[in-house]
Amino acid sequence: MKSFLSRIVTPLLVSPLLILSAAVQAEYETVFLDLAASSEMSHFRLGLGDTSRGIDGDKVTSMFYLGYYQSDDVTKFENQNLGNQKTEIITLGVGGFGYLENHEEEGGAEFDFELSKSTSEALDYDRTAFGMRAQIFLPMAAGLQANIGVNLRPFFLSQDWDETANLEYEYQAGIEYAFNWDMAIYAHYRYLGAYLKNDDKINMAEGTLFGLRARF
């Protein structure tokens, strides 16, 4: 387990050049795809990287990815309803995604570091920030797993660029069915919000997403 976690977190701690040099020892090159949509929101991520097996049998993909999130949900500022407002987030990330050898019993995880550009029609919200993204996969039965994830974009990682918010955050929870190491379908509840500089809270979107995650 320790080796598995260190291999996932490694891309967050080393430079892209070190990741690329390590790719020489990779088992195979990988395309990572994550697509999801609902009436409230949608998102996609497209990643390129390398997948290798660890000494403990785990299967981890180190990758760079481009992501896009869009919603047209009801936005709330404190207790005030601002109506449907468009929100968009563009991300450029680097991270690691993988499962343990016996993924149906032991699960897996993903950890990423992202540069993001967030905009919302509500209050003319426009923010550029660095952030950290993580999710874990917890086995429940054969192929069935629970998902818990969080994405944090705090002020201290963007203070030189932006003073719009103290914290922008997302969290998610849901159920997934993994057909194998490389493909899963899921239903996630997701919430997106922020605490502005005066500590006022803005709720930009929330809802349930249905999606597909795969690596080839």
Side-chain angles (χ1 to χ4, degrees):
M1 173 67 77
K2 182 178 179 182
S3 174
F4 171 71
L5 291 176
S6 66
R7 276 159 43 75
I8 285 185
V9 175
T10 293
L12 310 183
L13 304 178
V14 300
S15 71
L17 288 177
L18 288 178
I19 297 174
L20 290 174
S21 65
V24 175
Q25 301 177 356
E27 185 174 311
Y28 58 88
E29 295 182 351
T30 303
V31 175
F32 176 86
L33 187 64
D34 187 0
L35 301 170
S38 70
S39 59
E40 297 94 357
M41 61 186 74
S42 62
H43 88 90
F44 81 85
R45 287 192 296 154
L46 177 62
L48 298 175
D50 297 281
T51 300
S52 60
R53 286 185 180 272
I55 58 175
D56 297 325
D58 48 284
K59 190 175 181 182
V60 174
T61 299
S62 299
M63 62 182 175
F64 298 95
Y65 63 84
L66 178 66
Y68 176 75
Y69 168 94
Q70 187 272 333
S71 70
D72 190 17
D73 196 20
V74 173
T75 299
K76 297 178 182 178
F77 176 64
E78 291 294 304
N79 295 319
Q80 179 183 1
N81 190 326
L82 302 180
N84 289 66
Q85 305 283 341
K86 184 176 182 180
T87 299
E88 294 181 301
I89 304 175
I90 300 173
T91 57
L92 180 63
V94 56
F97 163 83
Y99 287 104
L100 292 166
E101 181 178 17
N102 189 353
H103 65 91
E104 291 188 352
E105 295 183 4
E106 299 177 314
E110 178 181 357
F111 295 96
D112 307 313
F113 191 70
E114 294 182 334
L115 171 64
S116 65
K117 173 72 170 178
S118 304
T119 58
S120 177
E121 294 175 347
L123 308 177
D124 295 322
Y125 185 90
D126 190 339
R127 186 170 190 260
T128 301
F130 283 106
M132 297 162 287
R133 184 177 188 276
Q135 59 178 331
I136 57 174
F137 311 107
L138 305 172
M140 301 173 63
L144 191 65
Q145 58 194 26
N147 174 285
I148 301 173
V150 64
N151 193 333
L152 301 176
R153 307 180 186 102
F155 172 69
F156 68 84
L157 291 178
S158 61
Q159 58 185 337
D160 292 335
W161 294 354
D162 180 84
E163 296 185 354
T164 303
N166 286 324
L167 175 67
E168 184 181 321
Y169 63 98
E170 300 175 54
Y171 59 80
Q172 68 184 43
I175 298 294
E176 305 189 355
Y177 183 81
F179 295 97
N180 51 41
W181 292 80
D182 300 320
M183 184 171 295
I185 56 175
Y186 60 81
H188 289 171
Y189 167 81
R190 185 172 297 177
Y191 177 94
L192 170 63
Y195 285 97
L196 305 182
K197 289 300 291 181
N198 54 5
D199 288 330
D200 288 337
K201 181 180 178 181
I202 181 170
N203 173 1
M204 290 183 274
E206 63 178 321
T208 302
L209 284 163
F210 300 94
L212 167 71
R213 184 178 59 248
R215 53 184 175 179
F216 307 95

